[in-house]
Amino acid sequence: MNEPYLLSQYNPEKDETSYIFSMIYDQKPILPEKEMPDCDANINYYNKYQSNVKTETPSLFIFLVDQSGSMSGNPIKLVSESLLFFLQSLPKDSYFQIIGFGSQYIKINSNPVLYNKENVEYTMKEIKGLRANLGGTNLLLPLKYIFSNRGYDDINLGRNLFILTDGEVENRKECLNLISKNSRTFKIHSIGIGSGFDEKLIEKTGKLGKGSYHFVTDISDINSVIIQSLSKCLRNYLLNLKLSLEKIKPEYEYTPRFNFVYPDEIINYYFILKGKKDANKENIQINIESKNNNYNYMFN
């Protein structure tokens, strides 16, 4: 499934050939044959393989926390504790920002800050004082702020947005449209807390945002859910993704609609070339460029 492939179809009426290149990004290294296991060494090979794929890649993490009145009592207390856990689990050289929302939104960090001891200690003090005192549940306002904030452009890292809420938000349709439009630059992870949240909203937010979604009906399970969500964001990713053809100018091309790609995500690239390519004489080379890795694939 991880092998890249190229499909083509010739249209004689237009004398054009259309192509679909598809691959699944896989960060796992392929070991040389001499290092492959025999029947008695599987456990050693497994340990070595796992150690090669464990990474903690820095990213920008934004936490959008529901502070509406319905979060009062145990929910806001446990969410605060979970945020403290989040902060102590981020990769080195990451940036983070915490924003509370209700009828309005407040920025605990006025801008994303570097993950260091000073910034973490300040933010942890603020988190311990979180209260469920912001009225209703207007998610649209902070989403508009986040997605229109050009200050994030100065941080050349993958962007992960976590939304923690226990209720049904206002302007549901507008929120989902906004999330879908911005899934190119943000991976959005939603966590529904308690029993009164909008299940469809939480699920669609994770799917449209190309991230993840979780339901926490038992509030005591929130830490394990956060571990699951965060673990997906600690893997190597391809950033500033760009696909192109080597020495060939396409008649038309459609490139992936996202800025960064995590392992196991599908990359599709569509293009049209004039004429019919002779498989015995001509090759097509597809280049994949990113901030941290480059690949090229040759096809007959």
Side-chain angles (χ1 to χ4, degrees):
M1 290 292 291
N2 291 351
E3 283 296 313
Y5 64 87
L6 185 69
L7 302 179
S8 66
Q9 186 174 43
Y10 177 65
N11 184 340
E13 293 182 5
K14 294 186 175 182
D15 189 29
E16 292 177 342
T17 306
S18 55
Y19 295 85
I20 301 175
F21 168 77
S22 187
M23 67 173 285
I24 298 175
Y25 171 48
D26 186 359
Q27 75 176 56
K28 302 180 184 70
I30 300 174
L31 297 180
E33 283 188 19
K34 64 181 180 180
E35 297 187 36
M36 294 298 282
D38 60 28
C39 294
D40 298 323
N42 281 341
I43 188 67
N44 296 330
Y45 169 71
Y46 176 80
N47 288 339
K48 181 171 184 177
Y49 184 76
Q50 288 301 101
S51 66
N52 283 338
V53 302
K54 288 178 182 175
T55 61
E56 288 199 359
T57 307
S59 299
L60 167 62
F61 295 91
I62 302 171
F63 303 102
L64 196 48
V65 185
D66 189 345
Q67 288 185 248
S68 62
S70 59
M71 288 285 288
S72 61
N74 204 38
I76 194 67
K77 179 184 176 183
L78 288 171
V79 167
S80 299
E81 291 174 357
S82 299
L83 283 175
L84 296 176
F85 179 80
F86 250 130
L87 279 185
Q88 296 175 75
S89 308
L90 300 184
K92 181 183 177 184
D93 299 324
S94 291
Y95 283 78
F96 68 91
Q97 183 180 24
I98 297 178
I99 300 170
F101 75 96
S103 300
Q104 299 293 324
Y105 65 91
I106 57 172
K107 294 182 284 183
I108 293 177
N109 312 102
S110 56
N111 294 295
V113 293
L114 181 64
Y115 184 65
N116 59 30
K117 183 179 178 181
E118 180 183 353
N119 290 329
V120 168
E121 287 180 349
Y122 165 79
T123 307
M124 288 177 73
K125 288 179 182 177
E126 295 295 312
I127 288 173
K128 290 175 182 177
L130 285 184
R131 298 289 181 269
N133 56 358
L134 296 184
T137 315
N138 190 339
L139 179 61
L140 188 62
L141 284 177
L143 286 180
K144 285 182 175 180
Y145 159 72
I146 291 168
F147 294 144
S148 63
N149 188 351
R150 298 278 67 87
Y152 297 148
D153 295 343
D154 297 330
I155 303 172
N156 194 21
L157 296 171
R159 303 175 186 177
N160 287 282
L161 170 61
F162 288 84
I163 302 172
L164 292 83
T165 181
D166 80 327
E168 295 188 2
V169 304
E170 303 169 20
N171 306 311
R172 172 184 171 187
K173 185 177 180 180
E174 290 88 342
C175 288
L176 291 174
N177 286 339
L178 199 58
I179 285 167
S180 180
K181 288 178 182 178
N182 290 276
S183 61
R184 179 182 176 89
T185 51
F186 282 86
K187 303 291 186 192
I188 300 160
H189 312 269
S190 56
I191 300 176
I193 302 166
S195 57
F197 58 80
D198 183 340
E199 191 171 317
K200 289 284 186 183
L201 172 74
I202 299 300
E203 181 179 348
K204 286 187 176 182
T205 295
K207 288 181 176 180
L208 292 174
K210 311 299 181 186
S212 63
Y213 64 93
H214 295 277
F215 307 127
V216 185
T217 52
D218 184 348
I219 197 70
S220 63
D221 293 334
I222 192 167
N223 271 2
S224 62
V225 168
I226 283 176
I227 290 172
Q228 292 179 53
S229 296
L230 188 58
S231 64
K232 294 183 178 182
C233 307
L234 301 181
R235 301 169 296 167
N236 278 329
Y237 52 80
L238 299 179
L239 180 63
N240 301 335
L241 194 68
K242 181 182 178 183
L243 278 77
S244 61
L245 296 171
E246 182 76 12
K247 299 180 181 178
I248 298 176
K249 185 175 181 181
E251 296 286 310
Y252 168 84
E253 64 180 342
Y254 186 81
T255 55
R257 296 187 62 188
F258 33 73
N259 189 44
F260 69 107
V261 180
Y262 278 116
D264 303 328
E265 288 193 274
I266 298 173
I267 299 173
N268 288 322
Y269 174 39
Y270 309 89
F271 57 94
I272 294 175
L273 302 180
K274 194 67 180 174
K276 186 175 185 180
K277 295 302 173 187
D278 188 335
N280 295 317
K281 296 180 180 179
E282 298 186 70
N283 292 323
I284 292 177
Q285 179 173 322
I286 296 173
N287 300 322
I288 299 179
E289 300 175 51
S290 74
K291 176 186 175 184
N292 40 7
N293 283 297
N294 294 322
Y295 305 89
N296 57 70
Y297 300 98
M298 183 76 75
F299 296 92
N300 288 328

